[in-house]
């Protein structure tokens, strides 16, 4: 049954990606990454690694370079690999849960819900953060290897334990959101061993029997090694990542963030950890109010055949889950809800050390919810179990649970597909903008600084062009010229000064001076102007302002869709 469940989970996870897989492209940081690799004077793997900027995430740098070496400027290959990573997460999550607790229904339900959650949808669309889901896959792999190592002794124990620590390191050097979860892996192993959980696939081998290590000694050994590795990773991150720098001291920073984490005036797109906003986005929007969101998306952004496909997707999940002869008791459901909430909090715990987080249900900011969403999946399944437990007859109870899981999976499929359509359209707009600029500026002057106006930077949650790095990267790729510079004049987020133009983005500002190298291109009017000085700029911006009316949008959030 385990093999059949894994195959089914793989099919469901892959199916959740098929709507967008062949039509999605590159966005935001992707352009700078691809351009850096493409125009790098170094062609070797080590040379390309030196040309990227993942100083504190070396594993992410390796992953990005390997994908580039395989697929170049074709986005399809990148997204196919990411879809396979998402498949591996659903299977690994199921295998872990099968070894930690006895219920097949819990393991299947949590894995099904997690792989269809829209809470971290940006991790599906944006190549620059593909390391985030891969880090979750390595976290689950590390935990699974620990669970498989615990019952054994000798060489088999050492091999699996070493592999688990290696997976921990890879996960931590890919992305940080799973780091706090690793601290509790030894406790999970201890709990599993104390209850006498044995490997489902373990063989009775005379030369490799179970270890004689007691649960407490085992847990202490695991915890000690994990603590050393995690502290080492933490020191490395603190020394290499600007977002982890705390001039006032880390203790003072943690206390400050903790004091702000429940403030009520937090708005979408604000920076920093806020659990009110996190519960709103993850539990209210994508659990309690999910039917309303589905209805709003269907009403305002309808897609032919998507409702029917979502229904068929949910029906397939229902039929499979209904066939599982297992019950989710009230006690087990309550335990799952509590563990889910704890996991949810731990999934955001890394952001007690920095403010590099934006909490939002859509947009590039929701990538940071990938670890916390493990807790959301557990809580949702526990809640569905409580509802189903109210039905007395076992057959009807299983049907009720299956309907709830199927409906939730169908809704997740629908929301992911609808959100992905904005990213699909955004990629087409990016390509059209680059073609249009190239048609009007055939051969740019060396070190040109192109200021783009007349465009909307966001198509719903998706980024079109918003910054100096994405537009410049796309233009450098097109022209094959690494000296091209560019920026985007987002309405309300730039200012013309006596000396130049200042743009504002992600809490920072860029100041660019007037001169013969600065060219304003008005995409809406198809006109370009050289901004030699303040008088020229003032006249052009007064007579032909490059701004257009755009839906309200903000970096990290995009333009709201529901």
């Amino acid at each position: 049954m385990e093999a059949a469940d894994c195959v089914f989970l793989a099919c469901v996870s892959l199916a959740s990606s098929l709507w967008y897989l062949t039509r999605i492209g590159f966005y935001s940081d992707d352009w700078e990454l691809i351009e850096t690799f493409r125009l790098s004077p170094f062609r070797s793997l080590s040379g390309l690694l030196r040309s990227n900027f993942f100083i504190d995430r070396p594993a992410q740098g390796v992953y990005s370079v390997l994908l580039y070496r395989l697929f170049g400027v074709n986005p399809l290959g990148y997204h196919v690999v990411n879809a396979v990573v998402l498949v591996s997460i659903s299977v690994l999550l199921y295998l872990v849960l099968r070894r930690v607790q006895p219920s097949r229904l819990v393991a299947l339900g949590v894995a099904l819900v997690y792989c269809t959650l829209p809470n971290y949808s940006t991790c599906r669309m944006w190549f620059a953060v593909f390391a985030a889901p891969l880090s979750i896959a390595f976290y689950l792999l590390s935990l699974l290897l620990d669970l498989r190592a615990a019952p054994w002794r000798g060489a088999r124990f050492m091999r699996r334990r070493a592999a688990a620590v290696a997976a921990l390191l890879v996960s931590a050097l890919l992305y940080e959101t799973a780091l706090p979860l690793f601290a509790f892996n030894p406790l999970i192993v201890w709990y599993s061993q104390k209850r006498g959980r044995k490997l489902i696939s373990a063989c009775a081998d005379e030369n490799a029997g179970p270890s004689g290590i007691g649960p407490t000694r085992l847990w202490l050994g695991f915890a000690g090694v994990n603590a050393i590795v995690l502290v080492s990773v933490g020191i490395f991150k603190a020394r290499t990542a600007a977002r982890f720098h705390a001039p006032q001291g880390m203790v003072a920073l943690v206390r400050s963030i903790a004091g702000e984490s429940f403030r009520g005036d937090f708005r979408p797109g604000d920076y920093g950890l806020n659990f009110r906003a996190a519960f709103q986005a993850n539990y209210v929007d994508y659990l309690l109010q999910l039917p309303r969101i589905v209805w709003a998306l269907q009403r305002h952004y309808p897609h032919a055949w998507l409702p029917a496909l979502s229904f068929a997707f949910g029906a397939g999940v229902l039929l499979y889950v209904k066939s599982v002869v297992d019950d989710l008791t009230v006690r087990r459901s309550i335990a799952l809800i509590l563990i889910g909430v704890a996991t949810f909090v731990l999934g955001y715990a890394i952001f007690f050390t920095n403010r590099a987080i934006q909490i939002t249900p859509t947009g590039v900011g929701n990538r940071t919810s990938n670890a916390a969403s493990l807790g959301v999946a557990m809580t949702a399944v526990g809640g569905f179990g409580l509802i189903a437990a109210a039905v007395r007859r076992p057959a009807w109870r299983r049907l009720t649970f299956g309907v709830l899981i199927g409906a939730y999976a169908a809704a997740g499929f629908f929301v992911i597909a609808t959100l992905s359509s904005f990213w699909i359209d955004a990629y087409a707009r990016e390509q059209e903008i680059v073609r249009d600029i190239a048609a009007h500026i055939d051969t740019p002057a060396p070190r040109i600084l192109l200021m783009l106006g007349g465009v909307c930077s966001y198509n719903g949650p998706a980024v079109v062009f918003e910054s100096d790095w994405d537009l410049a990267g796309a233009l450098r790729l097109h022209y094959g010229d690494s000296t091209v510079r560019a920026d985007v004049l987002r309405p309300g987020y730039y200012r013309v000064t006596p000396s130049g133009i200042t743009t504002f983005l992600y809490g920072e500002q860029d100041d660019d001076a007037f001169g013969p190298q600065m060219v304003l291109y008005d995409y809406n009017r198809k006109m370009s102007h050289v901004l030699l000085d303040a008088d020229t700029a003032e006249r052009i911006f007064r007579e032909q302002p490059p701004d257009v009316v755009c839906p309200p949008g903000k970096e990290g959030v995009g333009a709201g869709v529901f």
Side-chain angles (χ1 to χ4, degrees), residues 308-329:
L309 288 174
S310 302
F311 180 83
F313 183 86
V317 171
L318 159 63
L319 292 175
Y320 193 88
V321 172
K322 178 179 173 293
S323 68
V324 178
V325 183
D326 193 1
D327 270 338
L328 198 54
T329 63

Side-chain angles (χ1 to χ4, degrees), residues 361-439:
T362 64
V364 298
N366 88 342
R367 67 191 184 275
T368 54
S369 298
N370 65 327
S373 294
L374 291 167
V376 176
M378 295 177 194
T379 306
V381 172
F384 297 155
L386 283 181
I387 295 172
V391 180
R392 291 188 177 183
R393 295 181 60 182
W396 286 100
R397 189 160 55 242
R398 289 194 295 271
L399 176 62
T400 301
F401 185 79
V403 167
L404 292 169
I405 292 289
Y408 197 60
F413 177 92
F414 181 91
V415 174
I416 290 169
T418 304
L419 294 178
S420 72
S421 296
F422 291 98
W423 293 84
I424 293 167
D425 293 342
Y427 184 52
R429 293 188 191 182
E430 289 176 326
Q431 293 175 305
E432 174 56 36
I433 289 170
V434 171
R435 285 194 297 265
D436 184 81
I437 293 173

Side-chain angles (χ1 to χ4, degrees), residues 87-378:
V87 167
S88 72
I89 291 174
S90 62
V91 173
L92 287 168
L93 180 56
Y94 169 83
L95 293 175
V96 164
L97 291 173
R98 286 290 284 143
R99 284 154 177 78
V100 171
Q101 52 81 49
S103 173
R104 176 188 170 201
L105 197 60
V106 167
L108 184 63
V110 171
L112 279 171
V113 168
Y114 183 79
C115 75
T116 55
L117 282 177
N119 304 49
Y120 56 97
S121 58
T122 298
C123 293
R124 293 172 170 266
M125 318 295 173
W126 189 17
F127 157 56
V129 296
F130 281 180
L134 187 62
S135 72
I136 297 298
F138 272 97
Y139 161 72
L140 293 170
L141 177 62
S142 177
L143 177 53
L144 181 63
L145 287 167
D146 274 343
L147 291 167
R148 290 172 63 88
W152 301 95
R153 65 168 179 258
R156 181 174 292 191
F157 172 84
M158 295 302 298
R159 285 196 303 268
R160 292 179 179 178
R161 184 68 183 122
V165 172
L168 186 163
L169 278 171
V170 173
S171 176
L173 297 177
L174 280 163
Y175 220 70
E176 295 83 30
T177 50
L179 267 176
L181 299 176
F182 277 108
F184 288 85
N185 280 11
L187 184 61
I188 296 172
V189 174
W190 171 80
Y191 172 80
S192 175
Q193 283 298 101
K194 185 177 181 180
R195 289 178 57 97
R197 306 297 177 207
K198 302 300 181 183
L199 278 174
I200 292 175
S201 59
C203 300
D205 190 320
E206 293 180 358
N207 299 318
S211 71
I213 304 176
T216 302
R217 290 177 59 195
L218 183 73
W219 175 73
L220 289 174
F222 276 40
V225 174
N226 278 23
I228 293 171
V229 175
L230 290 174
V231 168
S232 301
V233 169
I235 293 172
F236 170 76
K237 296 277 185 181
R239 290 182 174 179
T240 56
R243 62 185 173 278
F244 289 109
H245 288 171
Q248 73 275 42
M250 186 57 69
V251 174
L253 176 64
V254 171
R255 290 179 60 184
S256 174
I257 293 175
E260 300 168 358
S261 61
F262 283 94
R263 63 187 178 90
D265 60 343
F266 193 89
R267 296 170 299 175
D270 284 355
Y271 292 92
L273 179 62
N274 186 275
F275 282 108
R276 288 176 180 265
F279 273 93
Q280 174 68 38
N282 289 277
Y283 284 109
V284 178
D285 290 344
Y286 281 142
L287 185 57
L288 300 179
Q289 295 187 15
L290 189 58
R292 178 191 64 80
I293 287 176
V294 169
W295 170 250
L297 291 177
Q298 174 59 22
R299 182 182 177 185
H300 297 292
Y301 312 101
H303 293 277
W305 298 106
L306 183 54
L309 288 174
S310 302
F311 180 83
F313 183 86
V317 171
L318 159 63
L319 292 175
Y320 193 88
V321 172
K322 178 179 173 293
S323 68
V324 178
V325 183
D326 193 1
D327 270 338
L328 198 54
T329 63
V330 171
R331 181 178 178 181
R332 191 173 293 160
S333 298
I334 293 174
L336 195 56
I337 290 172
L338 296 176
I339 294 171
V341 172
T343 303
F344 173 80
V345 172
L346 284 173
Y348 281 120
I350 191 65
F351 297 103
F352 280 111
T353 64
N354 67 92
R355 289 187 168 88
I357 179 177
Q358 290 175 289
I359 297 173
T360 170
T362 64
V364 298
N366 88 342
R367 67 191 184 275
T368 54
S369 298
N370 65 327
S373 294
L374 291 167
V376 176
M378 295 177 194

